[in-house]
Amino acid sequence: MKLFLNRPAFFYEMENLCRLFLPHESFSHEETPFTESVAGDYAVCDFAPDMRRLFCGVRLADQTVSQTADLPPALPERELEIEMARGLYRLLSKLCGFSPPWGVLTGVRPAKLYSSLLHETGSAAGAQAYMQQRLYVQPEKIALCGHVMAAEEKAAAFDAPNAFSLYVSIPFCPTRCSYCSFVSHSVEKTAKMVPEYVSLLCDELAAVGQWADRLGLSLKTVYFGGGTPTQLTPQQSDAVLQSVKRNFDLSHLLEYTVEAGRPDTVTAEKLAVLKQHGVTRISINPQTMHDSVLAAIGRRHTVQQVVNAFSLARSMGFNNINMDLIAGLPTDTPAGFAQTLDQILAMGPENVTVHTLAVKRAARLAGTTGARDYRFAAQTVSDMLHTAAERLTSAGFAPYYLYRQSKMFGNFENVGWTLPGRECYYNLYMMNEMHTVLAAGAGAVTRLKEPGGPQISRIFNYKYPYEYCERFATVLQRKQGIGEFYEQYPIHPSLSTG
């Protein structure tokens, strides 16, 4: 699709907006002036020279719609961009036959926007009115933001300017799932690399721990992600966990999470190592409770293995377990997803995270690039998410964190649901950029947060394990940036906490 915008700075946001309706489409920014004789599909947005009028037009599959809107005087740049997005949203909704529930929002953290609007307008009613009337966000999504913001405020009460979280990346899995967009590698192909990776990871943890100690940072949460951390052998897990214990003060931890996402990697020996080192929370992630759907997405485990892994973890004393589900998997149906929910709730986890499948990994479900096929798939996911909200709420769960990704079916969201008092604080601190996250391992990103202030800086590790191992000296050198950041934004003694 050709995009004709006489405000080129808005191209990125308008392209993202168009992808909400046409996720498989490619877009080009046309620098030549728009004429009605242009060939193919297009979207055009033109402000009048006095910025008091906006013309928008869209042609899609030989159907053309257009609209002209009068604008208030002297709108700031941000509001001009919103006006352009609103115009495109109205026309694309008409042509495609559906209206994405988050309206013109394309950002990752809508609850953060809701919080900002709450302070700007001075009331929940003002924030809700702006999101619904200006941004076209549907009421149930605004309510979801309100629930999540309440959980964020609870987590903030345990935060402090010298607080931080630790993220440890284990980027290996038994096999790679067909929908996966993370930097993870099948151990079938990388087994020889794992011992070296574990050794270097322990060295990096030592370096990060030295910076934390030198700066007087207080560790609140630890999170092992991946990949599948329980893909490591018990001995390898013990080495990494020992490195964390040796190099960090764990006496002020709120929680210690290790993803045991693939149930086919969960054994009594591995769980015993986690328990020995004080891990308080794990994830056992079925994604679905249908063997046929598991086969369709390339997960080489069975539903029974999910049940067995969960039962084993409970028997060994793990009393805070998360389970991930994905709405919109290939071959799944709303009825099948409802059955999965019933089975999961019968098992009794403390957290259930409901993800929406990203379109870029869902060609089999989307079928074609046509708007009608996408609309059908988006409605399917909508039905699944509605069922999840109903059943989880009835079972005593509440939404506590929320984030969105590009190219998700129907422009929906990922939501973490929790029983009262069982929120994952790492998810809240990380997703809402509340404090520093020091990160180790391939693909890990250290995010440095100004103590008591808004500034954020990032330090990136090499993305792939082989790069991480080959260029490890540079990985350690980059960690000098931790000290440089806190020299520029020091922690005031009166702001510190244990």
Side-chain angles (χ1 to χ4, degrees):
M1 173 178 276
K2 299 173 182 177
L3 298 185
F4 296 87
L5 313 176
N6 70 345
R7 205 73 168 185
F10 297 165
F11 174 76
Y12 178 77
E13 277 301 316
M14 297 313 112
E15 179 185 7
N16 284 339
L17 182 91
C18 290
R19 288 193 190 282
L20 305 183
F21 298 88
L22 305 166
H24 298 292
E25 187 64 77
S26 59
F27 299 89
S28 62
H29 180 206
E30 303 297 314
E31 297 183 359
T32 57
F34 170 75
T35 64
E36 292 185 356
S37 62
V38 65
D41 295 341
Y42 67 78
V44 55
C45 293
D46 278 330
F47 288 104
D50 63 359
M51 310 304 289
R52 294 292 302 274
R53 182 169 292 181
L54 172 65
F55 169 79
C56 293
V58 176
R59 183 165 68 201
L60 184 63
D62 297 324
Q63 286 186 287
T64 303
V65 292
S66 62
Q67 189 176 71
T68 299
D70 293 326
L71 307 178
L75 282 177
E77 194 79 356
R78 174 58 183 156
E79 291 299 318
L80 288 173
E81 186 176 52
I82 289 173
E83 287 293 347
M84 186 178 282
R86 282 161 52 88
L88 277 181
Y89 181 90
R90 289 191 296 265
L91 297 181
L92 286 166
S93 293
K94 184 175 181 179
L95 282 177
C96 297
F98 68 97
S99 299
W102 287 101
V104 301
L105 294 186
T106 60
V108 173
R109 302 177 180 89
K112 189 173 183 179
L113 171 64
Y114 178 83
S115 179
S116 297
L117 290 171
L118 195 63
H119 288 95
E120 289 175 16
T121 64
S123 68
Q128 292 163 9
Y130 187 92
M131 292 185 76
Q132 187 171 353
Q133 296 168 19
R134 288 286 295 154
L135 305 179
Y136 299 144
V137 181
Q138 295 178 5
E140 65 270 21
K141 300 305 179 186
I142 301 173
L144 177 60
C145 288
H147 286 297
V148 169
M149 197 188 75
E152 292 168 359
E153 290 174 347
K154 178 180 177 182
F158 295 100
D159 199 17
N162 71 325
F164 81 103
S165 292
L166 175 66
Y167 178 80
V168 183
S169 171
I170 310 295
F172 305 101
C173 283
T175 58
R176 188 175 179 87
C177 301
S178 63
Y179 57 79
C180 183
S181 60
F182 287 96
V183 181
S184 58
H185 293 265
S186 166
V187 169
E188 294 173 346
K189 298 180 180 179
T190 57
K192 293 181 180 179
M193 186 189 307
V194 176
E196 180 186 10
Y197 180 86
V198 167
S199 176
L200 294 176
L201 177 61
C202 291
D203 291 344
E204 187 184 8
L205 286 167
V208 171
Q210 289 173 9
W211 279 114
D213 182 62
R214 193 177 310 170
L215 294 165
L217 301 179
S218 178
L219 182 58
K220 297 300 183 184
T221 73
V222 178
Y223 195 101
F224 276 60
T228 305
T230 45
Q231 178 60 50
L232 299 182
T233 66
Q235 294 76 20
Q236 290 165 344
S237 291
D238 181 68
V240 180
L241 291 160
Q242 284 279 16
S243 184
V244 171
K245 182 177 182 180
R246 185 166 55 249
N247 293 293
F248 296 89
D249 178 2
L250 306 182
S251 62
H252 305 295
L253 275 186
L254 296 173
E255 69 187 17
Y256 197 147
T257 297
V258 173
E259 290 188 2
R262 290 283 292 262
D264 45 338
T265 67
V266 176
T267 66
E269 292 77 13
K270 293 177 183 180
L271 292 178
V273 171
L274 303 186
K275 200 69 179 173
Q276 174 190 344
H277 288 284
V279 172
T280 60
R281 181 178 180 274
I282 63 173
S283 288
I284 296 173
N285 301 332
Q287 317 301 12
T288 175
M289 293 295 278
H290 296 280
D291 285 333
S292 60
V293 181
L294 288 170
I297 61 176
R299 284 177 78 89
R300 296 182 189 173
H301 66 79
T302 65
V303 169
Q304 188 58 51
Q305 285 177 301
V306 175
V307 174
N308 293 346
F310 189 94
S311 177
L312 177 63
R314 278 286 195 248
S315 71
M316 297 184 68
F318 287 94
N319 62 4
N320 196 355
I321 301 177
N322 171 73
M323 303 187 84
D324 279 6
L325 305 178
I326 299 179
L329 290 173
T331 76
D332 204 1
T333 65
F337 188 78
Q339 292 170 359
T340 287
L341 279 165
D342 289 342
Q343 289 177 264
I344 293 301
L345 290 173
M347 294 169 69
E350 285 67 37
N351 296 163
V352 177
T353 307
V354 181
H355 297 269
T356 298
L357 188 65
V359 176
K360 62 185 177 180
R361 299 291 175 182
R364 287 172 290 179
L365 181 57
T368 74
T369 59
R372 182 174 299 176
D373 299 283
Y374 178 69
R375 182 177 67 209
F376 173 79
Q379 184 58 54
T380 297
V381 173
S382 178
D383 293 343
M384 292 175 172
L385 296 180
H386 182 73
T387 299
E390 279 191 338
R391 300 198 181 188
L392 287 164
T393 300
S394 296
F397 288 78
Y400 78 100
Y401 90 109
L402 158 71
Y403 70 101
R404 300 169 65 240
Q405 297 166 275
S406 64
K407 302 181 182 179
M408 299 178 85
F409 267 123
N411 191 32
F412 287 107
E413 67 280 334
N414 303 321
V415 180
W417 294 80
T418 182
L419 292 175
R422 310 310 292 270
E423 299 87 351
C424 174
Y425 286 103
Y426 172 82
N427 285 335
L428 289 165
Y429 292 138
M430 180 272 298
M431 189 54 56
N432 296 287
E433 299 179 325
M434 291 187 186
H435 64 212
T436 284
V437 176
L438 301 182
V445 180
T446 289
R447 189 190 66 225
L448 302 166
K449 177 76 162 43
E450 177 188 1
Q455 295 301 318
I456 291 176
S457 181
R458 290 173 172 81
I459 300 172
F460 296 86
N461 279 4
Y462 290 106
K463 189 174 183 180
Y464 299 103
Y466 71 88
E467 291 179 297
Y468 176 85
C469 294
E470 290 176 357
R471 307 177 72 178
F472 185 71
T474 305
V475 171
L476 293 186
Q477 185 179 18
R478 288 179 178 176
K479 287 295 188 290
Q480 300 292 323
I482 299 172
E484 294 167 3
F485 180 86
Y486 280 99
E487 281 183 12
Q488 186 176 3
Y489 303 105
I491 302 168
H492 191 280
S494 65
L495 300 178
S496 300
T497 184

